Amino acid sequence: MITLNHYLIVSGALFALGLAGVVARRNIIIIYMCLEMMLSAANLTLVAFSRFHMVEGLPDYSAQALVFFTITVAAAEVAVGLAIIVALFRSKQSVEVEAVSKLQG
Amino acid sequence: MPILLFYFLAALTLGFGLMVVTARNPVTCALSLAMSFVGLAALFISLDAYFIGTIQILVYAGAVMVLFLFIIMLLDIQVESDKKPNLAAVIGGIVLAAVLAVQVATISSSLSLGDKTTSDVALTLQKVGTEMATGKGNLPTISNDLKAGTLPDAKLMGLTLFKQYGFHLQVIGLLLLVGTVGVVVLSKREKEVAR
């Protein structure tokens, strides 16, 4: 049978994949996609715990409300982040992380 | 849920997730990410979170992915150049991810709640429905659904959001407004200032 552990491990693996992508990739847009993946993995954990921790015979809807807020914040974050990437592309003509090295010592 | 279906959905989510990390063409990455989110939404629905699953498809697989594809095509990003990937970063990423995955697996196996299945914590819809119908502040639309044995997920979600988190909801609305204004300011072409 499927236990809470199954969901937690899927969520952990998805988070780890996203983390590997953020560290290893050099295209800023793909780094951004991996960040979205990590956020969704955290959402999966929240939803799994909400189902397995019941309040009066129903799933814990406070956790799902938190997921709702997370998704909203993620959507706003994507919009702002992509606008920053477009502005970056305008000034550097590139979306590689190596192009942004002004703060490098 | 049948156990095979769970493994299929998990494989869909993680397989396409792996493609996002490894594919060289940004458009392939974006479409794989959309598929991965669809699998994740199905996992949400398997956890009786119908509303969140729907929102996941609408917001992530719909709006966010369209935004990503739009930006990729607007900036006309080609397949990554032939430059060798930074070996140190790749090894670092794999090691970091492996350490994290092992950590999560160890912690979750020592969790007291971890071995419960969904049938161990079955929802008692009818019982909750009858209790709610006799209690104070009864909402017939919810308690009738519960008594009929269905989970009125969106209604309960709305009840929680507006009853307990009304202020937070308004703050989130303000955040979206600020985000919209920020995006407009950021993408406005600056006037050429005489330097």
Side-chain angles (χ1 to χ4, degrees):
Chain A
M1 280 307 290
I2 304 141
T3 61
L4 174 61
N5 274 339
H6 285 77
Y7 285 102
L8 292 185
I9 287 170
V10 168
S11 156
L14 196 64
F15 192 91
L17 264 177
L19 186 64
V22 168
V23 176
R25 296 304 297 254
R26 49 168 52 146
N27 187 327
I28 294 180
I29 294 188
I30 293 173
I31 289 179
Y32 228 76
M33 289 182 200
C34 293
L35 277 177
E36 290 306 308
M37 222 156 77
M38 288 161 78
L39 270 171
S40 299
N43 282 349
L44 180 59
T45 315
L46 276 171
V47 173
F49 275 119
S50 112
R51 176 62 184 81
F52 284 88
H53 175 264
M54 288 199 302
V55 178
E56 293 165 359
L58 292 173
D60 189 347
Y61 275 95
S62 286
Q64 295 195 21
L66 186 56
V67 172
F68 178 82
F69 290 137
T70 322
I71 289 178
T72 322
V73 171
E77 176 226 321
V78 164
V80 174
L82 286 176
I84 291 176
I85 290 176
V86 170
L88 189 74
F89 186 79
R90 269 198 206 132
S91 69
K92 304 273 183 194
Q93 302 303 313
S94 166
V95 286
E96 309 266 298
V97 277
E98 280 94 347
V100 197
S101 54
K102 211 164 196 178
L103 284 182
Q104 208 169 43
Chain B
M1 183 178 58
I3 193 150
L4 273 178
L5 187 62
F6 173 81
Y7 282 122
F8 171 70
L9 291 176
L12 189 80
T13 311
L14 292 177
F16 279 106
L18 189 68
M19 257 177 85
V20 175
V21 178
T22 52
R24 296 189 73 77
N25 189 340
V27 178
T28 317
C29 288
L31 293 177
S32 309
L33 189 62
M35 276 312 289
S36 175
F37 281 155
V38 170
L40 200 64
L43 282 179
F44 286 164
I45 289 171
S46 79
L47 283 164
D48 293 318
Y50 304 101
F51 181 73
I52 295 293
T54 316
I55 289 286
Q56 172 86 9
I57 290 202
L58 282 181
V59 173
Y60 273 116
V64 168
M65 292 327 296
V66 165
L67 209 58
F68 268 116
L69 281 173
F70 184 71
I71 295 295
I72 288 172
M73 291 176 181
L74 182 79
L75 301 187
D76 196 19
I77 297 162
Q78 304 298 330
V79 179
E80 242 172 48
S81 46
D82 296 330
K83 270 189 287 181
K84 282 267 181 292
N86 188 351
L87 199 64
V90 171
I91 292 173
I94 292 171
V95 168
L96 208 60
V99 168
L100 189 75
V102 169
Q103 217 170 15
V104 169
T106 332
I107 291 174
S108 68
S109 63
S110 66
L111 206 66
S112 64
L113 200 67
D115 292 328
K116 285 191 179 163
T117 64
T118 33
S119 46
D120 284 342
V121 283
L123 302 174
T124 51
L125 297 177
Q126 269 103 355
K127 190 166 149 277
V128 178
T130 30
E131 269 170 24
M132 204 179 266
T134 53
K136 243 173 46 174
N138 169 38
L139 287 173
T141 170
I142 291 179
S143 57
N144 287 345
D145 277 1
L146 284 172
K147 269 193 278 189
T150 56
L151 180 65
D153 194 60
K155 290 174 188 170
L156 284 166
M157 190 76 199
L159 187 69
T160 315
L161 277 178
F162 288 108
K163 214 175 180 181
Q164 294 180 32
Y165 300 103
F167 175 68
H168 308 72
L169 204 64
Q170 294 178 42
V171 172
I172 284 288
L174 197 66
L175 178 84
L176 282 178
L177 177 69
V178 172
T180 317
V181 173
V183 168
V184 170
V185 170
L186 273 173
S187 42
K188 210 172 62 178
R189 211 171 270 278
E190 277 174 45
K191 284 206 186 95
E192 286 301 317
V193 189
R195 287 177 196 161

